[in-house]
């Protein structure tokens, strides 16, 4: 009998901050999506090893707003829970009005419009339903008073009226962190297990020093004592060349048979400490000893592979197709495969599917504009004409067949990006009356932090290659071998030519970009500042391994 394996990451690609809940024999994960549209993807599994996306929690239909900006703003760190027939998600939208709760009877949707939480400050808020049906909100902030009277970062909790969406009583500080004055105590999750309430948080920031720590108390609103073994999961001691990095931000789940697991984010590295995938979803087994959790028993590290739980029914799903041909009835009605994503809430329609082609309009918004920082006013033009999917493989080939005649400053083609201003564009443009193919690199320098005053952004753009190309239709191909990118073009497969200049994937992932968001592989069209009715037609879009 073949032994089944859990393969990490269980959800590959830019799907960070996983939160998990079990309802009967079914498991559901919700992940952050930042500025991608639709928002908050939902996944389902029967065996904790095989996962299938079943929908999104946030769309235009329930009031989802997110702007194109840094690619790392928007919605992050959701918590999903189930209580008495209703699914709940609490989350923060940095592009809208902050913390909110949405509800659904079916995790695949539809989900309610946001209930905005004006009395819930801070980031990474979560909630907890106790056995007596009381609900509690757990959040972050400067809530722990020091001996000198100043306030340190920590975790607070308060009882919550889930029916009327308001706090009951004053929030109280319940813990600070395992490490004294730890950086970024966040991502709190609360559980009632046996005689104790357990608080699990992330510390150290979501990059190299990220970790999972646990504390416990017999009083839900009491001060929590830290686990002497903290941190219970981290890879920061493995150095900067570890194949799995940034491990943290965990959530527990108990199977129907009483076994325990934890899902969390981590990053695969490529050719050294470069995290082009961003942060992905991982899982490890958990064992309880002396009323404390032991993560990944035997090694204490996140492994790429674990034996699957034999008590759970092995339930594989079909692999996501590598190629999209834009020929289904659903696509013609504007319903794309769930693995496809756009950037920014599309308040106006820029796309259509007809004649087995995806048409993208050359709207004014360009794909490269300076990052504005957080806290800017909401707009209804903060979206680009783009459609793509997340990078999931170290080695991959992205390809499309595009028909497009550029006018004025318009451009269309393929883009690979990890931040709004860290991109390679393989595009068709018009210059001096000629149609050209260009390979363009955009990088940026950030001055300060996007959420602090005085922030600024400078973009550097360089045309690496440029050749005349008078045909209307062109095959565009980008191939990655680790961090080595090659770009090619041709009228058909028999006439493909490669640009001599190679791209360096490390330029998409400099230290200042970090792993917050992952790499998007996409088709795009733009008027680069001028609205146009001209369209680029894409016959297919393919991203295949190798």
């Amino acid at each position: 009998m073949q032994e089944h394996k859990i393969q990490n990451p269980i959800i590959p690609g830019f799907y960070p901050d996983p939160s998990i809940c079990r309802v009967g024999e079914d498991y559901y994960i919700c992940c952050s999506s930042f500025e991608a549209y639709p928002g908050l993807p939902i996944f389902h599994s029967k065996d904790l090893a095989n996962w299938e996306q079943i929908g999104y929690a946030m769309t235009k239909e329930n009031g989802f707003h997110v702007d194109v900006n840094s690619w790392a703003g928007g919605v992050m760190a959701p918590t999903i829970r189930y209580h008495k027939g209703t699914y709940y998600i609490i989350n923060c939208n940095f592009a809208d009005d902050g913390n909110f709760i949405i509800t659904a009877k079916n995790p695949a949707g539809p989900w309610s419009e946001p209930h905005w939480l004006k009395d819930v400050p801070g980031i990474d808020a979560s909630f907890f339903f106790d056995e007596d049906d009381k609900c509690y909100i757990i959040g972050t902030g400067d809530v722990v008073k020091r001996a000198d009277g100043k306030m340190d970062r920590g975790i607070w909790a308060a009882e919550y009226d889930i029916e009327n969406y308001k706090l009951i009583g004053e929030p109280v500080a319940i813990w600070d962190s395992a490490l004294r004055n730890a950086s970024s105590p966040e991502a709190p999750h609360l559980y009632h297990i046996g005689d104790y309430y357990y608080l699990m948080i992330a510390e150290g920031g979501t990059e190299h020093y990220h970790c999972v720590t646990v504390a416990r108390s017999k009083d839900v609103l009491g001060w929590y004592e830290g686990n002497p073994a903290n941190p219970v999961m981290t890879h920061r001691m493995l150095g900067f060349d570890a194949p799995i990095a940034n491990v943290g931000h965990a959530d527990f789940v108990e199977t129907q048979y009483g076994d325990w697991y934890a899902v969390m984010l981590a990053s695969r590295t490529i050719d050294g400490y470069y995290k082009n995938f961003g942060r992905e979803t991982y899982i490890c087994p958990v064992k309880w000893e002396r009323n404390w959790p032991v993560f990944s028993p035997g090694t204490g590290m996140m492994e790429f592979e674990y034996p699957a739980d034999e008590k759970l029914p092995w339930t594989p799903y079909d692999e996501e197709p590598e190629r999209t041909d834009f020929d289904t009835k659903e696509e013609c009605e504007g319903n794309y495969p769930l693995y496809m994503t756009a950037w920014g809430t599309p308040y106006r329609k820029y796309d259509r599917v007809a004649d087995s082609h995806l048409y993208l309009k050359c709207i004014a918004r360009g794909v490269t504009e300076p990052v504005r920082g957080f806290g800017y006013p909401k707009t209804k033009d903060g979206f680009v004409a783009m459609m793509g999917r997340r990078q999931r493989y170290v080695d991959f080939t992205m390809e499309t067949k595009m028909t497009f005649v550029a006018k004025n400053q318009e451009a269309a083609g393929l883009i690979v990006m990890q931040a709004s201003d860290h991109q390679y564009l393989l595009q068709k443009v018009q210059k001096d009356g000629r149609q050209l193919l260009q390979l363009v690199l955009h990088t940026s320098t950030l001055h300060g932090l996007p959420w602090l005053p005085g922030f600024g952004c400078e973009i550097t753009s360089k045309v690496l290659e440029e050749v005349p190309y008078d045909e209307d239709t062109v095959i565009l191909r980008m191939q990655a071998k680790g961090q080595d990118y090659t770009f090619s073009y041709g009228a058909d497969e028999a006439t493909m030519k490669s640009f001599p200049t190679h791209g360096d994937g490390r330029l998409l992932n400099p230290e200042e970009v970090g792993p917050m968001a992952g790499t998007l592989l996409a088709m795009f069209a733009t008027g680069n500042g001028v609205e146009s009715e001209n369209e680029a037609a894409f016959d297919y879009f393919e991203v295949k391994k190798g």
Side-chain angles (χ1 to χ4, degrees):
M1 181 178 177
Q2 180 182 2
E3 182 183 17
H4 297 301
K5 298 287 188 179
I6 294 175
Q7 302 288 341
N8 273 320
I10 53 172
I11 304 176
F14 165 43
Y15 295 103
D17 304 330
S19 178
I20 189 169
C21 72
R22 176 180 64 85
V23 181
E25 298 179 352
D26 296 285
Y27 299 84
Y28 301 99
I29 281 178
C30 179
C31 296
S32 296
S33 54
F34 291 81
E35 294 174 5
Y37 180 89
L40 301 183
I42 307 290
F43 298 86
H44 169 255
S45 177
K46 288 281 191 181
D47 55 20
L48 296 175
N50 299 289
W51 292 86
E52 178 185 42
Q53 188 173 353
I54 58 173
Y56 290 95
M58 295 300 298
T59 66
K60 286 189 298 182
E61 285 66 35
N62 66 337
F64 181 45
H65 170 84
V66 67
D67 279 331
V68 163
N69 185 29
S70 66
W71 184 233
V75 289
M76 57 191 83
T79 295
I80 185 170
R81 294 294 183 259
Y82 175 82
H83 184 67
K84 288 193 168 182
T86 300
Y87 293 86
Y88 297 85
I89 290 174
I90 187 170
N91 194 215
C92 186
N93 188 344
F94 289 85
D96 208 330
D97 288 334
N99 288 310
F100 65 91
I101 289 174
I102 53 176
T103 63
K105 295 300 182 181
N106 184 337
W111 287 80
S112 72
E113 292 191 0
H115 303 276
W116 296 104
L117 310 180
K118 300 301 183 183
D119 57 354
V120 177
I123 65 169
D124 293 8
S126 68
F127 41 27
F128 158 67
F129 292 95
D130 207 349
E131 294 158 359
D132 59 4
D133 294 331
K134 288 184 178 180
C135 180
Y136 297 86
I137 293 266
I138 313 97
T140 64
D142 295 328
V143 296
V144 180
K145 192 172 184 178
R146 299 191 325 207
D148 60 5
K150 295 181 180 179
M151 305 301 287
D152 279 340
R153 299 291 290 177
I155 309 300
W156 61 265
E159 190 176 348
Y160 193 73
D161 181 351
I162 195 67
E163 299 296 328
N164 296 297
Y165 299 100
K166 64 180 182 180
L167 291 177
I168 300 174
E170 291 296 318
V172 297
I174 61 173
W175 201 43
D176 44 11
S177 53
L179 187 67
R180 182 176 297 174
N181 298 321
S183 169
S184 305
E186 58 192 16
H189 289 122
L190 195 61
Y191 316 87
H192 193 177
I193 304 169
D195 294 332
Y196 289 96
Y197 293 91
Y198 290 88
L199 175 66
M200 183 158 62
I201 73 168
E203 294 181 21
T206 193
E207 298 191 2
H208 181 71
Y209 301 105
H210 207 204
C211 68
V212 181
T213 62
V214 173
R216 72 186 183 189
S217 171
K218 290 191 175 182
D219 179 359
V220 64
L221 295 179
W223 187 257
Y224 282 64
E225 61 166 329
N227 185 345
N230 280 327
V232 292
M233 173 61 79
T234 187
H235 277 202
R236 60 193 180 193
M237 70 291 189
L238 300 181
F240 288 93
D241 59 352
I244 301 176
N246 309 335
V247 182
H249 198 121
D251 197 9
F252 281 137
V253 67
E254 182 184 14
T255 74
Q256 59 268 41
Y257 301 104
D259 299 307
W260 288 84
Y261 290 83
V263 297
M264 65 202 73
L265 68 83
S267 299
R268 282 180 287 169
T269 56
I270 303 176
D271 292 353
Y273 195 61
Y274 293 94
K275 297 150 289 190
N276 301 65
F277 294 106
R279 302 169 304 158
E280 306 174 285
T281 292
Y282 287 68
I283 194 170
C284 76
V286 174
K287 181 173 67 173
W288 291 86
E289 293 183 347
R290 301 182 182 184
N291 294 316
W292 288 113
V294 177
F295 283 60
S296 195
T299 71
M301 296 185 297
M302 181 62 68
E303 306 292 341
F304 277 114
E305 186 178 275
Y306 294 100
D309 193 325
E310 295 180 351
K311 295 188 287 295
L312 299 179
W314 183 256
T315 310
Y317 300 103
D318 292 337
E319 289 282 332
E320 291 180 356
E322 294 180 329
R323 179 175 169 126
T324 305
D325 284 307
F326 306 112
D327 56 4
T328 67
K329 179 177 180 291
E330 290 77 16
E331 290 165 332
C332 291
E333 295 173 350
N335 298 313
Y336 298 104
L338 292 174
Y339 53 79
M340 299 290 286
T341 190
W343 190 14
T345 300
Y347 285 98
R348 292 182 292 111
K349 191 168 180 60
Y350 57 73
D351 58 300
R352 64 186 180 95
V353 173
D355 306 319
S356 295
H357 286 74
L358 170 66
Y359 292 84
L360 295 179
K361 188 183 297 185
C362 293
I363 64 174
R365 180 72 186 237
V367 296
T368 303
E369 294 192 10
V371 176
R372 292 168 287 176
F374 293 175
Y376 50 84
K378 289 170 57 176
T379 70
K380 289 201 172 183
D381 61 358
F383 57 93
V384 296
M386 181 185 291
M387 191 70 65
R389 61 193 304 173
R390 293 154 170 85
Q391 179 183 348
R392 296 182 298 158
Y393 314 119
V394 174
D395 300 335
F396 66 88
T397 301
M398 172 174 59
E399 181 178 300
T400 191
K401 186 176 184 180
M402 179 182 74
T403 300
F404 176 64
V405 178
K407 303 173 184 177
N408 303 315
Q409 67 270 39
E410 297 167 356
L414 292 177
I415 182 171
V416 50
M417 57 168 275
Q418 190 169 357
S420 59
D421 306 321
H422 291 269
Q423 312 163 342
Y424 283 103
L425 305 180
L426 181 56
Q427 63 183 16
K428 194 162 186 261
V429 300
Q430 186 272 144
K431 183 178 178 182
D432 299 327
R434 295 291 306 273
Q435 296 288 304
L436 304 176
L437 292 176
Q438 290 181 335
L439 174 61
V440 181
L441 170 65
H442 296 298
T443 57
S444 68
T445 300
L446 305 184
H447 301 286
L449 298 172
W451 52 88
L452 294 179
F455 171 77
C457 174
E458 295 177 1
I459 301 174
T460 300
S461 299
K462 181 184 292 187
V463 177
L464 304 177
E465 296 282 355
E466 184 176 87
V467 296
Y469 190 87
D470 294 324
E471 301 289 333
D472 292 352
T473 300
V474 61
I475 295 175
L476 301 174
R477 181 183 297 157
M478 176 261 184
Q479 189 169 29
K481 296 292 184 184
Q483 301 287 17
D484 180 48
Y485 295 172
T486 56
F487 302 87
S488 54
Y489 64 93
D492 52 50
E493 294 286 346
T495 60
M496 296 295 290
K497 298 179 180 179
S498 295
F499 283 128
T501 299
H502 285 220
D504 184 350
R506 295 173 298 180
L507 298 177
L508 302 181
N509 183 235
E511 195 68 31
E512 64 186 282
V513 171
M516 283 286 285
T519 302
L520 182 68
L521 312 171
M523 306 158 285
F524 77 94
T526 177
N528 280 317
V530 177
E531 200 71 25
S532 172
E533 294 299 312
N534 193 18
E535 296 175 310
F538 298 89
D539 184 24
Y540 60 87
F541 181 64
E542 183 177 66
V543 179
K544 62 183 179 181
K545 188 175 183 178

